[in-house]
């Protein structure tokens, strides 16, 4: 089985969120299972800097107005071969990969990710200059979602699996980009890539792909309904026969409290004592009062409405009055960034906030916090709630998407059965969030209950084996 895995980010080379983690771990697991999987990604400055020795393997025609692009080849640390699209005018610049330094989307994103999709389509058709031909192209999110639309009009096209990691981002652009993308006008129709007069990358992907997956079973249901369908619920419901929800796994080697260089001391389910050292290190690092007995609430997240951080900021004074301490790590929305920093300033020793991206600190928070917060409004899968269970840091989550599918609420019955791993709330209100954190804090002070919860979470296997096998089954069926 030969699979071309197309992605706009991959850890540790370039990461803004969970897609990068998945793009690293899923191909690695497939590779270990004997699948000939290769990754295709844009040649951002950060990627070329991190991989200085790449071999040029082909020159390809890209988009109509652009010069030919150079396809570079390398091998990822876990043995997966990858190709990088070298096109300096599209990918080599300062700022972020989707936005400039002021947080504005790059004005030429349609072309930047149209090019990624176009190259993927080329490699998945008989026009490829390479010896290697995939059996399946696996696309991820809107950035590569135009691939099946291109392939629809190509000779010798292979089937496409389209994975939705987040329906909130669709890649919607004015119709004027259609010719610039070299896309057939024939695709620009309601039964195709058109979305209320604009071009939608994601809609094209959902319409033309042979199979659609999303990253949890619950989210696969939710996106077929008005509330979380973001306007695509009708199309998704009409394709429900070809839509599968597969819960993401986590990289058990990367996220392992027994061998994590970012934490103060290793620990395991059998011997949790080392966790206290990370808690102390975290309290010191974030300027909090060092106290082993007060529960530390941790949150690591993109600062957006999706993640419900605004609710946490709103009730921060009530949270620390429980009493508890609060640690926030993330970046994004400038208002939320300012509020988080203001709170830390206002409640020194009780609230700590770091605005920015810090991989090491994210691991320390998973290990050093006692309770992890994830009150997301919606969450396709979410990874941090799985990391936190593995680190003995029971999560408080809203019952949505992958959070619902990966956390078991703590109550007498689930505790008795030995499968309680966290705290789940249904109603999305600050009051119910506060009540649920209160419930977690009460449990934290009951040593027996708490240790049981920690051990239950740490004992769960969130590894990729099962999920990778589910993807392989879909590839094989195509
Ligand atoms: P999403 O992809 O929606 O952002 P996930 O929970 O799937 O949410 O994945 C987020 C990933 O990004 C996790 O690995 C998380 O630790 C990481 N992350 C998010 N923000 C930061 C940050 N500021 N610093 C370090 N890691 C972060
Ligand atoms: C998206 C989602 C997140 C998911 C991640 C990886 O960014 O917001 O829930 O875990 O993709 O699939």
């Amino acid at each position: 089985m030969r699979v071309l895995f197309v992605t706009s980010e991959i850890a540790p080379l370039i990461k803004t969120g969970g897609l990068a983690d998945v793009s690293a771990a899923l191909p690695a697991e497939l590779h270990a299972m004997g699948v000939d999987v290769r990754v295709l990604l844009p040649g951002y400055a950060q990627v070329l800097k991190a991989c200085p020795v790449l071999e040029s393997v082909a020159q390809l025609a890209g988009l109509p107005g652009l010069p030919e692009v150079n396809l570079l080849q390398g091998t990822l640390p876990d043995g997966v071969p990858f190709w990088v699209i070298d096109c300096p005018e599209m990918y080599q610049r300062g700022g972020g990969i989707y936005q400039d330094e002021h947080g504005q989307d790059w004005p030429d994103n349609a072309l930047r990710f149209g090019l990624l999709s176009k190259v993927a389509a080329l490699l998945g058709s008989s026009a490829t200059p390479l010896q290697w031909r995939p059996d399946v192209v696996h696309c991820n999110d809107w950035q590569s979602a135009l691939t099946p639309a291109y392939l629809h009009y190509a000779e010798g096209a292979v089937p496409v699996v389209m994975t939705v990691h987040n329906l909130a981002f669709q890649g919607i652009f004015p119709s004027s980009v259609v010719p610039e993308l070299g896309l057939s006008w024939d695709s620009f129709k309601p039964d195709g890539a058109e979305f209320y007069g604009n071009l939608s990358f994601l809609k094209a992907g959902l319409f033309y792909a042979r199979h659609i997956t999303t990253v949890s079973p619950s989210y696969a249901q939710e996106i077929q309904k008005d509330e979380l369908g973001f306007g695509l619920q009708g199309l998704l419901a009409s394709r429900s026969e070809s839509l599968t929800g597969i819960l993401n796994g986590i990289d058990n080697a990367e996220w392992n409290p027994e061998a994590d260089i970012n934490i103060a001391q290793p620990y395991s389910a059998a011997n949790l004592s080392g966790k206290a050292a990370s808690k102390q290190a975290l309290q010191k690092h974030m300027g909090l009062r060092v106290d082993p007995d007060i529960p530390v609430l941790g949150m690591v997240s993109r600062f957006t409405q999706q993640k419900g951080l605004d609710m946490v900021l709103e009730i921060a004074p009530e949270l620390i009055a429980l009493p508890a301490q609060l640690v926030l790590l993330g970046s994004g929305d400038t208002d939320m960034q300012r509020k988080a920093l203001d709170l830390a300033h206002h409640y020194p020793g009780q609230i700590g906030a770091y605005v920015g991206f810090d991989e090491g600190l994210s691991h320390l928070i998973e290990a050093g916090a006692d309770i992890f917060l994830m009150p997301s409004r919606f969450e396709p899968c979410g990874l941090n709630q799985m990391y936190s269970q593995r680190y003995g840091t029971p999560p408080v989550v809203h019952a949505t998407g992958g959070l619902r599918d990966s956390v078991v609420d703590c109550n007498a019955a689930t505790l008795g059965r030995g499968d309680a791993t966290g705290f789940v709330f249904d109603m999305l209100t600050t009051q119910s969030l506060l009540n649920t954190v209160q419930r977690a804090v009460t449990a934290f002070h009951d040593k027996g209950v708490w240790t049981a919860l920690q051990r239950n979470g740490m004992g769960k296997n969130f590894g990729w084996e099962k999920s990778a096998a589910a993807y392989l089954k879909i590839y094989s069926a195509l």
Side-chain angles (χ1 to χ4, degrees):
M1 176 66 68
R2 292 181 301 271
V3 180
L4 180 68
F5 189 93
V6 191
T7 183
S8 58
E9 42 186 284
I10 185 167
L13 296 180
I14 184 80
K15 165 168 168 175
T16 71
L19 173 60
D21 295 25
V22 173
S23 300
L26 174 57
E29 186 68 32
L30 290 165
H31 176 79
M33 290 165 71
V35 176
D36 181 1
V37 55
R38 317 220 172 166
V39 173
L40 177 70
L41 77 152
Y44 309 114
Q46 296 91 323
V47 169
L48 296 180
K49 194 166 158 231
C51 313
V53 279
L54 294 173
E55 183 198 350
S56 170
V57 289
Q59 294 278 120
L60 308 173
L63 299 181
L66 290 175
E68 286 204 321
V69 302
N70 205 354
L71 197 64
L72 307 176
Q73 180 173 299
T75 307
L76 295 165
D78 31 39
V80 177
F82 72 110
W83 287 303
V84 168
I85 304 167
D86 186 19
C87 180
E89 42 282 84
M90 289 286 106
Y91 303 131
Q92 290 201 42
R93 49 181 79 167
I97 57 174
Y98 307 127
Q99 298 175 331
D100 65 18
E101 42 284 284
H102 309 295
Q104 296 298 316
D105 285 352
W106 291 112
D108 53 355
N109 270 349
L111 299 185
R112 297 173 71 237
F113 297 105
L115 178 62
L116 174 65
S117 301
K118 177 75 198 199
V119 172
L122 200 63
L123 300 186
S125 72
S126 41
T128 181
L130 301 179
Q131 290 287 314
W132 187 88
R133 285 281 305 279
D135 297 310
V136 175
V137 178
H138 186 163
C139 297
N140 294 278
D141 273 353
W142 75 265
Q143 294 89 346
S144 52
L146 227 41
T147 307
Y150 285 121
L151 279 172
H152 184 72
Y153 299 95
E155 296 283 322
V158 304
V160 174
V161 174
M162 179 76 235
T163 297
V164 179
H165 295 265
N166 195 335
L167 204 61
F169 302 102
Q170 301 186 357
I172 295 178
F173 302 97
S175 59
S176 56
V177 299
V178 172
E180 294 176 60
L181 289 165
L183 192 65
S184 165
W185 275 113
D186 180 60
S187 69
F188 193 71
K189 55 192 177 198
D191 274 345
E194 188 257 2
F195 190 60
Y196 298 103
N198 290 314
L199 172 73
S200 165
F201 274 47
L202 188 61
K203 185 181 170 201
L206 299 176
F207 185 82
Y208 290 108
R210 275 277 284 283
H211 199 91
I212 302 165
T213 74
T214 187
V215 290
S216 68
S218 285
Y219 195 60
Q221 296 306 315
E222 291 164 358
I223 56 178
Q224 298 181 49
K225 304 198 184 91
D226 293 356
E227 198 190 337
L228 293 179
F230 287 94
L232 293 171
Q233 58 274 23
L235 171 57
L236 286 159
S238 76
R239 298 217 55 194
S240 62
E241 294 290 303
S242 315
L243 168 61
T244 315
I246 303 175
L247 193 72
N248 285 332
I250 65 170
D251 182 336
N252 277 327
E254 174 73 21
W255 295 92
N256 177 10
E258 294 184 51
D260 187 334
I261 51 164
N262 302 292
I263 70 176
Q265 206 176 297
Y267 62 93
S268 65
N271 183 357
L272 277 157
S273 63
K275 193 172 176 7
S278 283
K279 176 168 179 177
Q280 195 188 75
L282 179 64
Q283 286 173 321
K284 281 193 184 148
H285 186 82
M286 300 303 290
L288 302 177
R289 188 162 43 79
V290 173
D291 177 350
D293 297 324
I294 188 165
V296 174
L297 315 174
M299 188 160 175
V300 178
S301 164
R302 289 184 291 113
F303 284 8
T304 66
Q305 278 283 102
Q306 177 193 341
K307 302 293 178 176
L309 173 71
D310 49 311
M311 299 198 295
V312 173
L313 297 174
E314 194 184 319
I315 60 167
E318 285 94 331
L319 291 174
I320 59 174
L322 285 171
Q325 294 178 343
L326 178 62
V327 170
L328 303 169
L329 164 63
S331 64
D333 182 275
T334 43
D335 254 11
M336 292 186 192
Q337 293 185 171
R338 192 176 29 77
K339 279 192 194 129
L341 293 173
D342 283 353
L343 280 167
H345 185 73
H346 202 78
Y347 298 98
Q350 294 172 286
I351 299 180
Y354 180 81
V355 168
F357 199 89
D358 188 332
E359 190 74 37
L361 181 56
S362 75
H363 285 243
L364 185 62
I365 294 175
E366 291 291 0
D370 296 295
I371 297 164
F372 200 87
L373 302 184
M374 247 174 128
S376 308
R377 293 199 159 71
F378 66 93
E379 195 62 77
C381 178
L383 298 172
N384 278 304
Q385 81 282 7
M386 297 193 269
Y387 300 151
S388 70
Q389 287 172 76
R390 184 148 162 79
Y391 278 69
T393 308
V396 169
V397 305
H398 174 221
T400 184
L403 300 175
R404 180 198 287 280
D405 293 342
S406 60
V407 181
V408 179
D409 185 55
C410 176
N411 55 47
T414 55
L415 264 179
R417 282 201 302 271
D419 51 22
T421 62
F423 301 86
V424 185
F425 63 97
D426 275 303
M427 286 258 292
L428 192 67
T429 61
T430 47
Q431 190 56 49
S432 100
L433 169 60
L434 183 60
N435 292 346
T436 311
V437 177
Q438 167 80 71
R439 206 151 59 80
V441 166
T442 305
F444 169 80
H445 291 295
D446 184 330
K447 201 86 200 122
V449 167
W450 200 249
T451 310
L453 258 186
Q454 290 181 299
R455 294 216 163 108
N456 292 347
M458 296 178 88
K460 273 172 92 162
N461 181 6
F462 289 113
W464 267 103
E465 307 81 11
K466 235 174 79 189
S467 306
Y471 281 103
L472 182 53
K473 205 168 140 202
I474 290 171
Y475 302 152
S476 305
L478 298 182

